[in-house]
Each structure stands twice: as structure tokens, then as C-alpha cells.
Amino acid sequence: PAWKEALGENWATVHPQLLHTLGNLTLTGYNSELGNREFREKRKFFEESHFELNRYFGACENWGAKEIEERGRTLLVRALELWPRPALEPLPESVLLERARAQNGEFHEESVRAAGRYLNVTFAKCSPGRYQGSNGEYLIGAFSKEHGKEGRNAPMPSWARRTLRPVSIEHGERPNARFWFSFGEDGIEMLYRARAGWFCLECDSPRQVLVIPTLVIRPIQDQMSTSKEGRLHFDVLQRGRQFWLRLRGGVAGPELTSCLVATEENELAN
């Protein structure tokens, strides 16, 4: 009750947004003793701390959103003084091209709403592409345009035939397509720590959205491609109304068709 009061009437929104941010984190050897005590009790421990980092709290009477954000800015300024950013070398042309392919568009809020309806969860936006549910759920989203089209009658790759059922391309269905997404390490770790987490992949438009639980991705993450910057790549292939993940080396990954929560047909029917 004490920290809810400190955060104010919007504590349910403020808490997940600021809980793991820099301004609300510190170092202590008494984490279990401090537990979930109110700030005034914790401050007594911090005042006796041998870490210079914790002396900051001695001047704080309250600990709410304003104080957390202010400390975050203070630590950021100090960190930049201690560890200035090195000069950046230009990225290779191949990496720039890859990013341009994936980022030629924006992730839409309609995709989040479609995911929310499917999961029966109301999501609030934490930051671009990141969303928090009221019960500790977490979702990160990304957009990819369609690229790598093949001819309508192009044969399915042999490695895909070994995993997927044969697909007949009927009149009006889309030809083969490929979608490419990437997610940073910090977002993925937050997803894995959440009560429940999903990757939300918008394939060309909000009418075609894949909502993939972490339970599908985590066991195969080391088989997926990553960039030098540590970003995890999702290489999604489509054949007719089937979707599947392609792993490193062109190996067929899990089929994702069951993760499709919004299609053009569904939107028209509604």
C-alpha cells in the first residue's frame, strides 16, 4: 500500500513503466532484508550504505515517478561523463540494406489491439514497440514489409516440404513472401522475465499479424540468426496461408500458422 500511495492514483500504469528503469535501481547487500518495505524504511539502510551511489537517497523525502525519473537523468549524465561513447564507424552496406528492408514502415497500434483481442489482454504502451499488460504480461512488436516474392507457381523449398504439409496455391491466394524482423537484447530479456510474453510480428499490414509466445522462440533462439549488435533476427516465410520460421543456415523452423491472429479475410468478415 505504501508504494502504491507514493506512485499516486496511476500506480498500476507507472509501476511497470518505471520498475526496471535506471532511476529505480541501485546496489545493496541487503536486498532480502529490504524486500518490499516502504521507501522511508529503505532509506535508513541506504543512509548507512558504504556505496556512494546510495547517498543520493538521503535527500529524498518521497519516492514516486518524479523522483525516479530525476535520478535516472542524474545517473545518465554521470555515466556519460565516466564512459563517453566511442566514435562510431559506418555500418557495412549489407547491414544498412537489411535494416532498410525491415524498417520501411511503422508498427501499427491496430496490431496491438488485434493481439489484445486474441489474448484477452489490454496492453498499455511503455515505449515504441513495447507494451505492458495489466497483470504483468509483456509484448514487443515489429513491422516488416513483404519482400523476396517468388512466382505464384514456384515450388516449395525441399527443406520446407520436410516440415510442412504440401500447399496448393488456389486462385486469389498470395504468392510466396518473406518477412524480416529484429529485436534487441534488452527487449527480449524483458519479455522472458514477464509473467507471459509474446512477439508480435506485423507482416506487411495490421491485417496479417503473428503473435508468437516466448515458449516457441526461447528453445530455438540459439538456432536463429543474430547481428553483431546482438539483435535477434526473425526470418518468416509465407506460402499461401501458411507461415513458418526459417532458422540459421536455411533450416526449417517451427510452423507459425497457428499464431496468425488477424488476416484480411477476418477484417472483411468483421
Side-chain angles (χ1 to χ4, degrees):
W3 62 256
K4 290 180 181 180
E5 181 180 351
L7 293 178
E9 60 181 9
N10 295 324
W11 66 265
T13 301
V14 175
H15 182 259
Q17 288 180 343
L18 297 181
L19 178 62
H20 298 295
T21 59
L22 181 63
N24 197 47
L25 299 176
T26 193
L27 294 171
T28 174
Y30 305 96
N31 201 46
S32 58
E33 289 89 342
L34 292 172
N36 202 27
R37 298 187 186 189
E38 63 176 292
F39 174 71
R40 292 178 183 177
E41 292 185 52
K42 290 186 176 183
R43 187 176 63 178
K44 296 176 182 177
F45 281 81
F46 294 145
E47 289 175 342
E48 299 175 359
S49 173
H50 294 289
F51 284 116
E52 186 69 25
L53 182 69
N54 291 329
R55 297 186 183 278
Y56 180 96
F57 300 106
C60 298
E61 292 295 328
N62 301 301
W63 195 247
K66 178 182 176 181
E67 290 78 14
I68 294 172
E69 291 174 346
E70 178 59 32
R71 181 169 177 267
R73 286 190 290 268
T74 300
L75 289 175
L76 176 61
V77 171
R78 183 61 177 143
L80 291 175
E81 292 174 350
L82 291 170
W83 305 293
R85 183 176 182 174
L88 296 178
E89 297 181 0
L91 290 172
E93 185 176 350
S94 60
V95 175
L96 293 175
L97 180 61
E98 190 175 44
R99 288 186 175 182
R101 285 189 312 188
Q103 297 175 358
N104 187 18
E106 294 183 357
F107 183 70
H108 295 87
E109 295 296 321
E110 291 92 326
S111 296
V112 180
R113 288 194 287 271
R117 290 193 300 269
Y118 175 72
L119 300 169
N120 196 27
V121 174
T122 300
F123 289 102
K125 188 174 184 179
C126 300
S127 59
R130 300 185 184 185
Y131 302 83
Q132 177 87 38
S134 57
N135 292 320
E137 305 91 343
Y138 199 73
L139 178 145
I140 55 176
F143 167 90
S144 174
K145 69 174 184 177
E146 179 182 336
H147 62 88
K149 280 189 177 181
E150 299 175 10
R152 183 175 294 275
N153 297 318
M156 181 179 291
S158 59
W159 55 265
R161 288 200 299 269
R162 291 195 297 269
T163 302
L164 304 179
R165 301 185 306 275
V167 179
S168 60
I169 302 301
E170 301 175 357
H171 178 71
E173 289 187 347
R174 302 173 67 184
N176 286 7
R178 184 179 179 187
F179 304 94
W180 186 92
F181 308 85
S182 73
F183 296 95
E185 290 180 304
D186 55 341
I188 294 172
E189 286 302 314
M190 182 69 75
L191 206 64
Y192 288 165
R193 289 197 301 267
R195 174 178 172 271
W198 298 274
F199 296 92
C200 186
L201 310 184
E202 182 182 319
C203 300
D204 207 45
S205 83
R207 293 181 174 181
Q208 194 163 250
V209 180
L210 298 171
V211 178
I212 309 171
T214 55
L215 293 175
V216 171
I217 300 302
R218 195 165 192 171
I220 60 170
Q221 182 173 333
D222 60 350
Q223 303 173 52
M224 299 170 65
S225 298
T226 56
S227 67
K228 292 182 179 179
E229 296 89 354
R231 297 186 67 84
L232 183 65
H233 296 172
F234 282 65
D235 193 359
V236 177
L237 301 185
Q238 178 185 6
R239 177 79 174 186
R241 290 189 176 90
Q242 284 187 304
F243 292 81
W244 68 96
L245 192 64
R246 187 168 77 162
L247 305 179
R248 190 170 54 245
V251 176
E255 187 174 352
L256 304 175
T257 308
S258 62
C259 300
L260 184 64
V261 302
T263 64
E264 185 173 0
E265 289 80 3
N266 288 343
E267 289 292 326
L268 293 175
N270 292 335

